[in-house]
Amino acid sequence: MVILLVTEERRGRLKRSAAELVTAARELGGDAVGLVLGADPGAAAEELAAYLPRVTALRGAFATAEAVAAAAADAARDLGADVVLFAADKLGLSASPRAAVRLGGALLDDVTAVSREGGAVRAKRFSYLSRVTETVEALASPVVVSVKTNALAPAGHAGARGTVEVREAPAPADPRKRVGERTAAQGARLPLEEARVVVAGGRGLGSAERFAAVVEPLAEALGAAVGATRAVVDAGWRPYAEQVGQTGKTVAPELYVALGISGAVQHLSGMNRAKVIVAVNKDADAPIFKVADYGIVGDVASVGPALLEAVKETTAG
Amino acid sequence: MKVLTVVRQVPDAEARVRAEGGRVDLTGVTFVMDGMDEYGVEEAIRLREAGHDLEIVAVAVGPARFADALRTALALGADRAVHVVTDEQLDPVTLAGVVAQVAREEGAELVLTGGKQADWDSSALGPALAEHLGWPHADWTTRLELAGGELRLRHDVDDGVEELTVTLPAVVTTQQGLNEPRYPTLPNIMKAKRKELATRDLAALGAPAPRVRVVSQEIQVRPRLNRMIDGEPEEAAREVARLLRTEAKVI
């Protein structure tokens, strides 16, 4: 089995998800080849060579899903790849379906595990707003897989370093799609999807000021990213980039602290994979308590600051 | 210009989903038009209201119940609807091929659809459709303007927000923030009953071979401790912090 692992350089470095894709490749078994795309992919390719025997870096403009999909499909064809792996971040989720169509293959998207059953590639993924786990099997080849970020443990380095070949990307960017200005996510100190701890707030906080006063210091103390519910984002208290849920981001941190969040199913679908969930809400019947490991019934205005003090004491000791 | 808006009829978010014998059982579940697709229908209507000369065609590929989503789209303002009726569970890439065939036959120049469907939790439909058609696409769109055969959009990317210019024909996937979908009014619901809702046979569109098979489905259960901590805020907070440190070992 030949596996092509597709990733991009981000600010000159290898994306963190690349090591998770290596885990997926090892799970499937076979010969894995790395493809690193970017304007300056050399250093990232060197990083990837610590995991894989062979890495190709393509230097070019890969700002669009179209360009990434085309390069990945060309490389997959050249290699005769059976499996093509992408990270299921926004770019990967956007490029991988196009690559699957270009290759006439199957797409297993946003998966949390991959395996091989006989000759077939199988994967686990969520459906119905993350309420259902399903096992899917590819019926066509090659199989394009996008792997949810944070779902698999990052792989360790291989015993021997792989070779790196840097090449110029052949095709210029498609003039039908032109990328303009890119603004970094507002208030995203730590990318939500990559955070080990998330402190999130809901309507129960009452105002944008209270949200900032209660959620931010606790997030700071825990080294956490800030998350918000849709109601909070709709009310304009927090930027969309912080929204967790069906129409926002999916997170799977070690710890999720839900402050003043009632627990609508749309929100749960974005955070119910957290390892440990703490919920604070003044309504004892709030659905959030059904998914919580530790719950406190109380007003976030007083419990929030108390939690901040307690965390400071505990982590200092 | 012809605009296609692709819609799905999915379980209401509040509906209880069960699984029986390794398969999701949707008996007795309330279905609604996918909220993400509503943004697409709304945006098409707003483009027309902004003065663009558009015919809006709502398209659905799925079982008989999907007709309800098409009726809703017609009541909101779509001109007519096309329903490719099938009980087969098609994966997004295969289904995108069917929609692409409809788009070609209709001579559409813009296709709008939801960024992520609430039943199969996939965001692949839009990009796969664009690739089938050989068009560019923009996904996770939060702002859209049409001028001189070009779309100027704003959409989410991994590290923030990006401005895009895309030449038509193109596929756009929608999401929250793009607009605030309207509700159908009673007169418009009545009017929608007289609008054309054509049904098509999947086989007549080339009966595509599915590329993915669902092996099994089960309700995701993650055991939770559900431990409620009583006491005054300071006391309860200290206990939770202690448990997070010593028991859960996450801080």
Side-chain angles (χ1 to χ4, degrees), chain B residues 135-146:
Chain B
W135 297 355
H137 81 270
D139 45 17
W140 303 109
T141 306
T142 51
R143 200 179 69 199
L144 183 153
E145 282 163 37
L146 171 62

Side-chain angles (χ1 to χ4, degrees), chain A residues 94 109 177 182 240 294, chain B residues 122 137 139 156 162 175 247:
Chain A
S94 194
D109 61 335
K177 185 164 171 178
R182 193 175 270 203
Y240 171 72
Y294 306 109
Chain B
S122 169
H137 81 270
D139 45 17
D156 288 347
E162 182 181 80
Q175 67 161 327
E247 188 177 80

Side-chain angles (χ1 to χ4, degrees), chain B residues 50-81:
Chain B
H52 297 287
D53 183 17
L54 307 178
E55 187 189 9
I56 304 169
V57 184
V59 177
V61 182
R65 63 178 157 85
F66 276 41
D68 292 342
L70 291 172
R71 285 281 171 219
T72 305
L74 291 171
L76 289 169
D79 298 300
R80 58 189 179 84

Side-chain angles (χ1 to χ4, degrees), chain B:
Chain B
M1 176 173 116
K2 208 177 277 190
V3 176
L4 248 54
T5 164
V6 185
V7 296
R8 294 179 66 75
Q9 181 80 350
V10 300
D12 184 87
E14 306 294 336
R16 225 177 97 84
V17 176
R18 296 180 312 268
E20 188 94 28
R23 277 284 178 272
V24 164
D25 177 9
L26 297 173
T27 330
V29 162
T30 311
F31 293 98
V32 295
M33 187 205 284
D34 196 322
M36 284 268 192
D37 297 335
E38 282 182 36
Y39 298 117
V41 177
E42 177 66 32
E43 199 61 19
I45 297 164
R46 289 191 187 197
L47 284 173
R48 182 162 59 197
E49 287 172 349
H52 297 287
D53 183 17
L54 307 178
E55 187 189 9
I56 304 169
V57 184
V59 177
V61 182
R65 63 178 157 85
F66 276 41
D68 292 342
L70 291 172
R71 285 281 171 219
T72 305
L74 291 171
L76 289 169
D79 298 300
R80 58 189 179 84
V82 176
H83 185 183
V84 181
V85 186
T86 176
D87 283 326
E88 225 182 304
Q89 251 201 4
L90 298 177
D91 58 276
V93 168
T94 307
L95 188 130
V98 176
V99 177
Q101 190 54 33
V102 175
R104 269 186 221 105
E105 289 177 11
E106 291 282 349
E109 285 183 79
L110 172 63
V111 183
L112 296 160
T113 193
K116 185 175 185 180
Q117 282 72 35
D119 48 354
W120 57 27
D121 286 14
S122 169
S123 54
L125 179 62
L129 173 60
E131 189 65 42
H132 276 294
L133 291 165
W135 297 355
H137 81 270
D139 45 17
W140 303 109
T141 306
T142 51
R143 200 179 69 199
L144 183 153
E145 282 163 37
L146 171 62
E150 280 189 342
L151 296 171
R152 269 195 287 276
L153 315 107
R154 174 185 290 174
H155 77 143
D156 288 347
V157 290
D158 283 303
D159 47 7
V161 174
E162 182 181 80
E163 309 286 337
L164 270 184
T165 307
V166 175
T167 307
L168 291 176
V171 175
V172 171
T173 84
T174 56
Q175 67 161 327
Q176 179 198 354
L178 178 61
N179 55 45
E180 202 51 61
R182 69 196 68 192
Y183 290 100
T185 61
L186 190 59
N188 284 341
I189 293 171
M190 300 311 289
K191 225 185 283 173
K193 291 186 176 163
R194 293 192 301 275
K195 290 182 178 174
E196 179 191 325
L197 198 168
T199 55
R200 299 281 308 267
D201 184 24
L202 181 64
L205 285 161
R211 303 182 198 201
V212 175
R213 172 174 87 91
V214 175
V215 178
S216 65
Q217 296 172 311
E218 47 198 283
I219 299 297
Q220 194 200 335
V221 272
R222 182 163 198 134
R224 295 289 178 188
L225 299 175
N226 297 125
R227 196 179 310 166
M228 301 306 290
I229 316 295
D230 299 325
E232 287 305 304
E234 290 71 24
E235 196 188 327
R238 209 169 287 134
E239 177 63 2
V240 165
R242 190 188 68 80
L243 289 165
L244 291 177
R245 180 86 164 180
T246 58
E247 188 177 80
K249 297 187 168 54
V250 287
I251 66 171

